[in-house]
Amino acid sequence: MEPTTRSRFWPLVLCWVIVALDGFDLVVLGTVIPTLLSTRELGFDAPAATAVATAGLVGVGIGALTVGPLADRYGRRLCLLLCVSVFSVLTLAIVIAPDVFVFGLLRVLAGIALGACLPVVIAYVTDLMPRERAGKATTLTMTGYHAGAVLTALLALAVIPDWRVLFAIGGIAGLVTVPLIRITLPEERSERQAGRRPTVRRLVERPYRTVSIGVWAASFMGLLLVYGLNTWLPQLMRDAGYGSTDSLGLLLVLNAGAVTGLILAGIVADRSGTKRVAMAWFALSGLLLAFLSIRLEDVTMLYVAVFVTGVFVFSAQVLVYAFVTQLYPPEIRGTALGFAAGIGRLGAIMGPAITGLLVSEGLAYPGGFYVFAASALLAVGALAIIPARARVAAEPVAAPK
């Protein structure tokens, strides 16, 4: 390997690990809720579990929205050090939570810390890599998200019903990561536009206003799909008449497709243009989700269809993040990514909520797939309003002092 490639390798690996912590957070609550509900431990019941799950997502969204500007101003490496530290300590504290209120509060506060990490990591990776390889680097880093989710789910099978072990492992893993961030991640080079400080207001000023609206809408729809499908796909498939074993297997296949899609999407985007590929990915997602509304008698064809759907649905959202890194200059890139992720988290809340309502009304199949397909097509429209020749990230910047 060339020296420059070698110097990037371990920072990229560590960024992947930080994203894997986000994957842990995605599924850990879902793996312990059945145990907490069956034992009524800490005072958990169905409404409490719903409130804790929703509050955690709100915390993640707040973190993404608020910490991004601070990372642009004070440094991404410092932000990652602080946020991973806080997340780890609070996750470890859940082990000794005395009741459901404290459990939920700790989840919210940990979510705020962790919510900042994903956009900051993507901004850091983009700064670290050459522009022509940024898309591939972003999507490969995001495979950590699904790897972390799958590893946590497998770990849960081994330790449940002792749910506290999961949070202990998650907290300790984060604490081990902290000194590695300090040792391994180099300080990012600061590039500031002369006379301009990184502020949220710049996201809605020219030439960024239309760009921001398009990105925010696409991210909202993208995370609506990601969280809606991960939460309700097994139930949708049961309502369609497939067996419970098939339903759970299809969720695993969907996420296996996601990892494959992330590897493929970055390569194609770097060659053909991120906006064009993101629009194509969302359009194909819409068609495939509509296709899943048809009950398939051939089980092999069903598994293939779900796998291919996973290839496009999850990587489409990551391509939105990769596109953001190309649209904004370095000094507000973390802020822009934070808002894309934070507003997207509203979609992450709405997706499961809307699908849950359809389930309760007996309309989940095929109605849920129609909602998902429409969301994917709306994301195509949102990306389409972004100027085809947008080059706002190419604004001249002052040389580092």
Side-chain angles (χ1 to χ4, degrees):
M1 288 190 298
E2 298 176 1
T4 53
T5 302
R6 187 183 299 115
S7 66
R8 295 187 188 109
F9 178 76
W10 287 113
L12 289 173
V13 169
L14 190 55
C15 287
W16 187 93
V17 170
I18 294 170
V19 173
L21 290 174
D22 205 340
F24 160 85
D25 195 66
L26 171 68
V27 302
V28 67
L29 186 62
T31 64
V32 305
I33 278 179
T35 298
L36 292 170
L37 289 179
S38 63
T39 62
R40 298 284 175 168
E41 195 170 352
L42 306 183
F44 264 89
D45 55 19
T50 302
V52 168
T54 303
L57 287 173
V58 171
V60 171
I62 292 172
L65 288 169
T66 58
V67 182
L70 297 177
D72 281 335
R73 181 166 297 182
Y74 299 109
R76 288 160 194 158
R77 179 171 172 270
L78 175 61
C79 175
L80 289 174
L81 275 169
L82 292 176
C83 288
V84 174
S85 298
V86 171
F87 164 77
S88 303
V89 170
L90 293 174
T91 297
L92 202 54
I94 290 176
V95 173
I96 57 173
D99 54 45
V100 67
F101 175 79
V102 174
F103 184 107
L105 179 62
L106 290 170
R107 284 287 296 171
V108 171
L109 296 176
I112 292 173
L114 188 64
C117 289
L118 184 62
V120 175
V121 163
I122 294 174
Y124 189 94
V125 167
T126 302
D127 290 345
L128 193 65
M129 297 298 293
R131 183 179 177 88
E132 65 273 11
R133 294 169 59 190
K136 181 180 178 181
T138 299
T139 53
L140 286 176
T141 301
M142 284 299 295
T143 61
Y145 189 71
H146 296 281
V150 170
L151 288 173
T152 304
L154 293 175
L155 183 62
L157 293 175
V159 304
I160 291 296
D162 193 356
W163 60 269
R164 289 180 173 85
V165 173
L166 277 178
F167 290 101
I169 292 173
I172 292 170
L175 289 176
V176 170
T177 304
V178 171
L180 297 178
I181 295 173
R182 179 71 176 83
I183 296 168
T184 305
L185 292 190
E187 291 280 2
E188 67 270 23
R189 289 178 299 174
S190 177
E191 293 181 323
R192 295 286 185 261
Q193 196 170 354
R196 303 296 298 273
R197 299 185 70 185
T199 62
V200 174
R201 183 176 178 179
R202 288 184 63 189
L203 299 183
V204 293
E205 294 177 338
R206 291 185 178 183
Y208 306 109
R209 185 181 300 120
T210 301
V211 171
S212 295
I213 292 171
V215 163
W216 295 343
S219 184
F220 179 95
M221 297 301 168
L223 283 179
L224 183 152
L225 292 173
V226 169
Y227 279 80
L229 281 169
N230 261 324
T231 303
W232 287 109
L233 181 67
Q235 185 62 49
L236 293 179
M237 289 308 188
R238 289 178 190 176
D239 288 352
Y242 302 108
S244 58
T245 302
D246 282 336
S247 298
L248 293 173
L250 288 170
L251 184 61
L252 179 60
V253 167
L254 183 77
N255 281 278
V259 175
T260 304
L262 287 168
I263 296 171
L264 175 65
I267 296 171
V268 177
D270 283 342
R271 293 178 178 176
S272 303
T274 307
K275 176 184 175 180
R276 182 184 304 169
V277 175
M279 292 178 66
W281 252 235
F282 272 119
L284 289 168
S285 297
L287 293 174
L288 288 163
L289 287 163
F291 178 71
L292 289 179
S293 68
I294 303 170
R295 194 182 190 287
L296 301 175
E297 299 298 333
D298 187 328
V299 175
T300 300
M301 181 178 291
L302 173 65
Y303 272 79
V304 170
V306 171
F307 178 86
V308 177
T309 301
V311 167
F312 291 104
V313 169
F314 295 96
S315 52
Q317 170 61 22
V318 177
L319 286 172
V320 173
Y321 294 146
F323 193 32
V324 169
T325 67
Q326 300 168 13
L327 293 171
Y328 299 86
E331 70 270 14
I332 59 169
R333 190 172 288 152
T335 302
L337 282 164
F339 266 71
I343 292 173
R345 294 288 178 170
L346 298 177
I349 296 170
M350 291 296 295
I354 292 172
T355 314
L357 179 61
L358 292 173
V359 169
S360 65
E361 296 296 326
L363 303 172
Y365 182 83
F369 287 115
Y370 295 152
V371 169
F372 291 143
S375 299
L377 296 180
L378 286 172
V380 175
L383 292 171
I385 72 171
I386 298 174
R389 297 186 179 276
R391 291 292 185 271
V392 293
E395 290 182 355
V397 295
K401 296 181 179 180

